[in-house]
Amino acid sequence: LKFHPFFVVSAVAMSMTDAEKRKAPDDAPAGEKKDAAAPEAKKLKPTPADPATVRKQVEYYLSDDNLKHDKFFSEKIASDADGWLEMSLILSCNKMKSMRTSKDDVMSALKESKLEVKEDGSAVRRPGNAPLPKLEARPQHHQKKNTAHAHDGGAVVVVKNVPAEQSWTHIKEKLAEKLPGKVTPWHVSEVTDNGSCFVVCPPFSGDLALLEALEIEVGGAKLKCELCYGDVLQGMLKKLPKHIREKREKESRKKQKERNRPIVVGNQRFVNVGALRGKVKEIMNSRSDGESLKPEGSDFKLIKALLDYHPKGPEKSKGMIGLKVGKSTQGDNRCFFMVREGAPDEDVSLKKCIDAVELNPPYVTVE
């Protein structure tokens, strides 16, 4: 057999390339391969991590708010007789990696913190080796982009652990007693073998909040209603009688049409929530990192007004004296920061604010 010279040379080149790749271990420090060959003058020094941001992040990792949900860190701390958490575990967290934080950065940042650091910087622990909080399941947040309007056409809930001798009629009767005015469930399913009963209600003001907190007593058992999402919701919708499904879809289209009405936020009018979202993006993109918004300007007033819609409300913006744009501590994204006097700047999620506006839009009042 004869080989064309081109293929021989290509094969050799490919082999050398593969061999060279195998020489560099996967766990080599980031940038080691490139820096080894790069001229000293061309090496770029990484931007040092902001001490205040590093301190805030590490303090969060070891706080009750995080540890009551963070099983991994809780177990690591509990396994050490003196409650120390290895520094290497802190530095392995994605947020710390995104800030390119080193051990020295953490040690320097925690000088003003109540957290305790070993002299050699090998570990960190809670003040006075404080006891760990009891582990809890993380709360489920359903208000995501693809589920925020899942119940526009009418809420779908499931009542679980229905006593064996109780039927769907008992569920319907008890719900009717709790629902406002003339609201009557559109559909109540048979109780399944695992004791679950699904209910579809017509849309009404404050329906989701009421149903999420609703508790009924059936056959001596107190049962709670749970809103359905994801696969559970889709599976139930497929089983609905056609006329109920069509009625629900009609109501959903009506709600969608309503959402396109003009809204007012901070004395500024927008044709719909989408336009508000676009304006916030425009404000951010028109500014460079570290640039502040002028307090007397309309952009500042709009963002400040939006902060009132944050889930934590006025508490979130308490003590704020300014707003600026900067790179997020959670990656390469950019976000708004609240500037406080005598306190570190705090990033804020405008997405949460706009989502809250979308759930309860401040529509323009027609006189």
Side-chain angles (χ1 to χ4, degrees), residues 4 11 24 80-81 103 112 127 135 144 194 219 227 230 244 261 272 290 305 326-327 349:
H4 193 282
D80 186 278
K103 182 176 76 172
E112 304 298 324
L135 278 173
K144 296 179 181 177
N194 65 0
L227 289 168
I244 298 295
R261 288 163 49 196
N272 52 34
K327 184 172 286 188
S349 172

Side-chain angles (χ1 to χ4, degrees), residues 181-228:
K182 298 179 181 179
V183 176
T184 304
W186 278 341
H187 176 78
V188 182
S189 74
E190 295 283 354
V191 179
T192 63
D193 292 339
N194 65 0
S196 296
C197 180
F198 292 86
V199 182
V200 182
C201 293
F204 58 89
S205 179
D207 51 2
L208 301 189
L210 186 149
L211 289 167
E212 275 191 308
L214 193 61
E215 187 177 79
I216 58 176
E217 189 169 338
V218 181
K222 291 185 177 180
L223 310 175
K224 295 202 72 173
C225 295
E226 294 180 20
L227 289 168
C228 297

Side-chain angles (χ1 to χ4, degrees), residues 273-311:
V273 177
L276 169 64
R277 203 182 299 274
K279 178 61 178 177
V280 171
K281 189 175 181 180
E282 176 192 312
I283 293 172
M284 182 181 294
N285 291 342
S286 64
R287 287 166 172 81
S288 56
D289 288 347
E291 184 176 349
S292 298
L293 278 65
K294 295 179 180 178
E296 67 278 9
S298 59
D299 289 351
F300 179 92
K301 292 174 182 176
L302 173 62
I303 302 302
K304 187 174 183 295
L306 262 179
L307 290 176
D308 291 338
Y309 289 89
H310 193 278

